[in-house]
């Protein structure tokens, strides 16, 4: 074997090409990497790094655990645990989760085996109590989460200081606890998209308070934020004014409320407002609100794609 093939960085480049070549059949590419990891000590670590780098589902991490631990209900495709997690189970879990950089937290659809579309409350409860303090996926950079409020305990442990790109449901911002943890644990966050899922959260927080808490969360986001999609949040004048002064914000998607007082917002939209903005997407009930807002952003109209 040529000496250059022992360089880990070279191995990573080659193994990523394996997945690209088999793009239309991701299982073939993954099977190739799994075979390399099992049969060649020189390639094992690098192949595992790429194999686990980008996961389409959080369920993959659970399925790598002993089959005696978990099962999938074939009727509702919900995963549950058959017993408590042992220390050896946790060792296996962290052996693989430490390699993960990107993850979609819950959906899991695999035509070649059992499909898992949701995690049971017992699974969430167990995974929310690791044997030591720290994130479940310590080097996570990208997180896409589509789930309801019952997954909140698990989400807390997926927030890391390495997280750069996050797509989260609305409850992650309107929950006071989650709001504080999102802004304190993710100082490197650069891209945030907030989804307004149709799933009911069944909590006792009035809608007005939910949006107020979400606005306060946005006010505490790091100034290094580059992209924000917050159409799920009813933004007030103060929040929009704050966003207009974020120095790195280049892409913004928001919804303007009917009761938005543009006369209170205009004084804040100085020539320096939205100074780095390149793309602006605005939703509103009436065209007049969009037009008035766009006219207020005169300083960016020559450079911003709307």
């Amino acid at each position: 074997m040529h000496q250059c093939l022992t360089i880990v960085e070279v191995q990573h480049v080659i193994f990523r090409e394996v997945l690209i070549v088999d793009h239309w059949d991701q299982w073939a590419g993954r099977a190739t990497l799994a075979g390399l990891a099992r049969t060649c000590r020189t390639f094992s670590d690098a192949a595992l790094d790429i194999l686990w780098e980008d996961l389409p589902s959080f369920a993959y991490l659970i399925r790598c655990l002993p089959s005696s631990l978990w099962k999938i209900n074939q009727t509702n495709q919900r995963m549950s645990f058959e017993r408590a997690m042992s220390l050896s189970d946790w060792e296996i879990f962290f052996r693989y989760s430490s390699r993960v950089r990107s993850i979609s937290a819950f959906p899991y659809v695999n035509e070649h085996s059992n499909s898992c579309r949701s995690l049971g409350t017992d699974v969430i409860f167990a995974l929310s109590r690791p044997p030591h303090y720290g994130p479940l996926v310590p080097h996570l950079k990208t997180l896409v989460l589509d789930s309801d409020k019952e997954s909140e305990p698990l989400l807390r442990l997926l927030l890391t200081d390495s997280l750069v790109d996050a797509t989260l449901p609305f409850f992650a911002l309107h929950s006071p606890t989650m709001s504080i943890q999102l802004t304190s644990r993710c100082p490197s966050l650069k891209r945030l998209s907030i989804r307004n899922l149709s799933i009911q959260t069944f909590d006792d927080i009035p809608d007005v308070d939910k949006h107020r808490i979400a606005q306060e969360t946005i006010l505490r986001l790091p100034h290094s934020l580059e992209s924000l999609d917050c159409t799920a949040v009813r933004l007030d004048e103060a929040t929009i004014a704050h966003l207009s002064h974020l120095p790195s914000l280049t892409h913004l998607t928001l919804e303007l409320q009917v009761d938005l007082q543009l006369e209170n917002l205009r004084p804040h939209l100085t020539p320096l407002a939205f100074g780095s903005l390149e793309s602006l997407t605005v939703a509103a009930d009436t065209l007049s609100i969009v037009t008035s807002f766009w006219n207020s952003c005169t300083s960016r109209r020559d450079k911003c794609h709307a």
Side-chain angles (χ1 to χ4, degrees):
M1 181 169 55
H2 197 283
Q3 190 67 23
C4 71
L5 294 179
T6 62
I7 302 174
V8 174
E9 291 78 7
V10 173
Q11 293 175 2
H12 282 168
V13 171
I14 294 173
F15 296 156
R16 286 193 181 97
E17 287 297 319
V18 172
L19 292 182
I20 293 174
V21 169
D22 291 311
H23 175 73
W24 297 108
D25 186 358
Q26 62 168 320
W27 302 110
R30 291 184 177 276
T32 300
L33 291 179
L36 285 169
R38 287 193 298 264
T39 58
C40 181
R41 290 183 180 179
T42 303
F43 294 156
S44 181
D45 278 341
L48 286 174
D49 286 342
I50 305 305
L51 182 63
W52 288 92
E53 183 177 46
D54 185 8
L55 293 188
S57 170
F58 188 84
Y60 280 96
L61 285 169
I62 302 175
R63 291 177 70 104
C64 74
L65 301 175
S67 58
S68 61
L69 174 65
W70 54 271
K71 70 174 182 179
I72 298 176
N73 187 309
Q74 295 302 308
T75 302
N76 57 16
Q77 295 181 311
R78 193 173 180 86
M79 179 179 283
S80 61
F81 277 173
E82 297 277 75
R83 58 173 175 80
M85 287 187 69
S86 64
L87 285 177
S88 61
D89 293 331
W90 280 111
E91 289 176 0
I92 297 172
F93 182 90
F94 284 114
R95 185 187 310 160
Y96 295 108
S97 73
S98 62
R99 302 177 187 270
V100 177
R101 300 296 183 270
S102 172
I103 191 169
S104 297
F106 294 109
Y108 177 90
V109 180
N110 178 1
E111 63 181 6
H112 298 294
S113 62
N114 295 337
S115 293
C116 170
R117 295 188 180 272
S118 63
L119 302 182
T121 54
D122 59 331
V123 177
I124 294 174
F125 180 85
L127 292 175
S128 301
R129 287 156 179 79
H132 54 76
Y133 179 79
L136 288 178
V137 187
H139 306 297
L140 190 65
K141 292 184 176 181
T142 301
L143 172 63
V144 178
L145 173 62
D146 287 326
S147 188
D148 56 16
K149 201 172 187 299
E150 69 179 12
S151 64
E152 180 177 325
L154 188 57
L155 175 57
R156 296 176 191 168
L157 295 179
L158 292 176
L159 300 178
T160 71
D161 57 6
S162 61
L163 192 64
V164 174
D165 191 337
T167 299
L168 303 175
F170 180 51
F171 82 78
L173 270 76
H174 74 62
S175 164
T177 303
M178 282 302 308
S179 170
I180 294 173
Q181 295 193 2
L182 175 64
T183 53
S184 62
R185 291 187 179 182
C186 306
S188 303
L189 190 65
K190 293 185 180 299
R191 293 173 292 277
L192 175 62
S193 178
I194 307 158
R195 292 183 177 177
N196 192 6
L197 302 181
S198 59
I199 303 173
Q200 295 291 329
T201 55
F202 299 109
D203 54 35
D204 55 359
I205 304 177
D207 282 348
V208 173
D209 290 338
K210 289 178 182 179
H211 286 277
R212 176 184 55 78
I213 296 170
Q215 291 167 7
E216 293 173 353
T217 304
I218 292 175
L219 291 174
R220 292 195 299 269
L221 291 173
H223 282 202
S224 58
L225 194 71
E226 297 176 358
S227 176
L228 176 64
D229 181 344
C230 55
T231 53
V233 182
R234 299 170 190 165
L235 300 182
D236 60 7
E237 296 83 359
T239 309
I240 296 176
H242 171 77
L243 292 175
S244 73
H245 296 291
L246 291 182
S248 302
L249 189 65
T250 58
H251 295 76
L252 175 62
T253 301
L254 75 165
E255 181 172 355
L256 300 177
Q257 301 303 310
V258 176
D259 57 353
L260 186 69
Q261 303 297 317
L262 283 174
E263 60 271 15
N264 296 332
L265 179 60
R266 286 193 183 96
H268 299 280
L269 298 180
T270 64
L272 296 179
F274 297 115
S276 300
L277 203 63
E278 299 174 0
S279 174
L280 174 64
T281 303
V282 179
D285 290 337
T286 65
L287 182 60
S288 61
I289 298 177
V290 177
T291 304
S292 298
F293 179 76
W294 181 240
N295 288 335
S296 301
C297 300
T298 54
S299 64
R300 301 306 303 161
R301 283 161 57 183
D302 59 332
K303 298 181 180 179
C304 182
H305 170 70

